[in-house]
Structures are given as C-alpha cells and as structure tokens.
Amino acid sequence: MNRNLTLVLIFFIGFASVVSAQPKKKYEAQLKGRERSKELVLGLGTAYYLGEVNPYTHFGSDLKLAASLGYRNNFNYRWSMRIAGSYGNVEAWDKDSKDPWIQNRNLNFRNRFYEGSVLFELNFLNYQIGSNYTISPYLFAGGAIYNMNPEGQYNGFWHSLQPAGTEGQGLEGNDPVYKLTGFSLPLGAGLKWNIAGLLGASVEWGVRKTWTDYFDDISTVYEDPIVLANSRGQLAANLANQALNQENINNTGMQRGDPGRKDLYFFCMASLHVRIDRKGTTCWK
C-alpha cells in the first residue's frame, strides 16, 4: 500500500512539474523570439584612405560622399549580422603633402569603388529598436569584396590608371597587371540608439585592410619612360612621371612608392535604421 502511494505521489509530482514548466518554457520561447529582429540600414558619410599619397593622416585626403544600403539580422540583443553594399570615392594629391619628396613626385589619384560586405556586430549593451534597450556602443568585423578603378589626372582630364600600367605592370620581367577586384577585412566601432517607434540611428567608423598596394596605383619604382611610351603610349608615360623637378628625366628604377605597406581604406558613416519585422501597432512590451 505504501509502495503504491509512493508511486502515485511521484506521478503527481512529476505531472505537476511538467505542467508548471510549460508556461516557463513558453515564456522563454516568447522572450527569445522577442530578442530577434530585422532592420534596413541606410548610411551616408565619407571615405578616405592611407597609402603612398596620404601615408599617415586620417581624414587627410579630399573627402567625398559615401553611401551604403544594408540589411541587419539581429540574432539577439547582443549579436547581429549585417549584409551591405557600399559606395566610396577617395581622392588625394601629392601637392597637399608636407613632405618635400612627395610634393616633388606630384602624383594624384581618385578611386571610385564599390564594396559588398558581411559584417558581424557585437553590442556592448543589450539593444533593440522599439524596446527598453535604447542605446549601445558596438564593434564589428567581417569580410568584404571591393571593385575599384584608380584614375589619375593629367592636363585637366581623368584617365584610368590600371590599363596604362604606370609602373610597367604586365611588361616582360615585371609584375603582372594588378586586379581591380579584391578582398578586404573590415573592422570598426560605432554607437547605436533609438529615435522613436520603428526608427533607430547609428554612427560608425571602420577600416578595411586590403592586400593590394595599388589602390592609388603607386607601389614600386619608375618604369623606363621610353619603354612605357612605346608599349602603352605617351599618355601612360606622362601619367607615370609628373615630377616637378625634371632634371633627371629618365628616373628608371628610382623609388616611386613603398611596396612594403599595403593600402587601407576607411568609411565614416551616419545611418538610419528601420525595423521591418513588426508593425508599428505591435505591443513591444
């Protein structure tokens, strides 16, 4: 009898535990669901670069408009993944440098480029648009593919530099022609905050490490101007050497850039976020 009573008590205690656990599991599932959200992100800002024409100064090149459009999937209050397409335009001139050697080189370039990126974000604090978690600094890192087109100005006109092979790329015995598409490693930080309802905003700064030294078309040494003119045309030779001091016209083999330092490009953006996974009439609490 006592044995049967014990089994009955165990059964009812187990049943009560299962029943009482259901609301908790349901609540946890709902809470977990509330942590997930999706956003569209529109950004405007500027881009700049560090390389041979602007070796050290952040925001030191001519600042042009940059823009991005992205989709953010927030896995929870802390972790997110953002897929984005971005446009940048960097421009720099040797004449703006304080270094006399760079000033005398007298080269210039602009590069209008596109980037597709996948970024992973970590919020320092819990954050979600439309919740009580209203502000957080964050870090991001990921991978990106860029497509560029460095151009140089000569006699007031811009010309594509890669086909010109200004350092003799593609000629016998020289380096191959550099690629216009490459991989970069984004890394940066920002601050997110809620505006109202379904809207949020952010500001962020990020660097892109590249594995090219030709973002500005300057890397190694001067090619023989006669060989360059005969193989690529006189315009290529003119684009390659625009030095102010032309006493030594044939500067073949002399330093033109620094191949030991790869170029970096940067984005600085202010963005508007729109939450798209819930309607504005949804109860957020």
Side-chain angles (χ1 to χ4, degrees):
M1 180 70 179
N2 291 338
R3 180 181 178 184
N4 292 336
L5 180 60
T6 301
L7 292 175
V8 171
L9 288 175
I10 292 174
F11 171 79
F12 277 106
I13 291 172
F15 179 77
S17 299
V18 171
V19 172
S20 62
Q22 295 306 309
K24 183 178 180 181
K25 290 183 178 179
K26 184 176 181 181
Y27 173 77
E28 290 177 348
Q30 291 175 346
L31 184 62
K32 186 176 182 180
R34 288 179 181 177
E35 290 182 350
R36 300 186 66 91
S37 60
K38 298 176 178 63
E39 305 166 22
L40 289 180
V41 183
L42 174 63
L44 292 175
T46 191
Y48 67 96
Y49 107 115
L50 294 181
E52 273 78 5
V53 185
N54 179 42
Y56 307 111
T57 307
H58 287 272
F59 299 97
S61 51
D62 290 355
L63 300 180
K64 307 293 183 181
L65 181 67
S68 68
L69 179 63
Y71 165 80
R72 177 183 286 124
N73 186 354
N74 302 296
F75 303 123
N76 51 48
Y77 296 139
R78 293 295 182 97
W79 287 98
S80 305
M81 181 183 71
R82 182 178 11 142
I83 301 173
S86 303
Y87 164 80
N89 183 6
V90 299
E91 183 177 323
W93 299 71
D94 279 349
K95 65 181 182 181
D96 296 330
S97 174
K98 296 180 181 180
D99 186 320
W101 185 87
I102 294 178
Q103 287 180 356
N104 182 69
R105 185 177 59 186
N106 196 39
L107 293 174
N108 62 79
F109 88 101
R110 73 178 182 187
N111 196 336
R112 293 177 287 190
F113 61 96
Y114 298 89
E115 177 195 84
S117 61
V118 178
L119 307 174
F120 293 92
E121 302 176 357
L122 172 62
N123 299 327
F124 280 91
L125 306 172
N126 286 346
Y127 174 79
Q128 188 181 67
I129 293 178
S131 74
N132 293 328
Y133 304 125
T134 58
I135 188 169
S136 178
Y138 66 98
L139 297 175
F140 67 86
I145 301 293
Y146 64 85
N147 181 263
M148 64 178 184
N149 181 30
E151 298 176 300
Q153 189 179 104
Y154 183 75
N155 282 344
F157 295 95
W158 291 98
H159 307 272
S160 293
L161 292 170
Q162 188 238 30
T166 53
E167 294 180 356
Q169 301 97 330
L171 299 181
E172 185 177 355
N174 290 354
D175 292 339
V177 176
Y178 61 84
K179 297 180 180 180
L180 297 179
T181 300
F183 176 79
S184 67
L185 183 65
L187 182 68
L191 178 69
K192 303 174 183 176
W193 67 92
N194 290 349
I195 298 177
L198 301 176
L199 298 179
S202 68
V203 290
E204 72 175 35
W205 171 92
V207 58
R208 271 65 170 172
K209 172 179 172 48
T210 74
W211 280 263
T212 182
D213 194 34
Y214 288 107
F215 202 78
D216 50 17
D217 190 66
I218 305 170
S219 180
T220 59
V221 297
Y222 287 95
E223 177 58 71
D224 186 327
I226 298 176
V227 172
L228 196 56
N230 290 337
S231 59
R232 302 289 171 79
Q234 187 59 46
L235 177 60
N238 293 339
L239 288 167
N241 181 11
Q242 302 186 52
L244 298 177
N245 183 359
Q246 292 285 349
E247 291 181 4
N248 182 9
I249 298 177
N250 190 342
N251 51 8
T252 304
M254 296 180 65
Q255 182 182 1
R256 189 171 184 262
D258 180 4
R261 295 180 58 188
K262 303 304 182 184
D263 297 331
L264 306 172
Y265 67 93
F266 301 76
F267 282 113
C268 186
M269 292 279 189
S271 300
L272 179 68
H273 314 160
V274 182
R275 184 168 176 175
I276 59 174
D277 62 311
R278 294 192 179 187
K279 298 180 180 179
T281 55
T282 300
C283 178
W284 297 100
K285 296 181 180 179

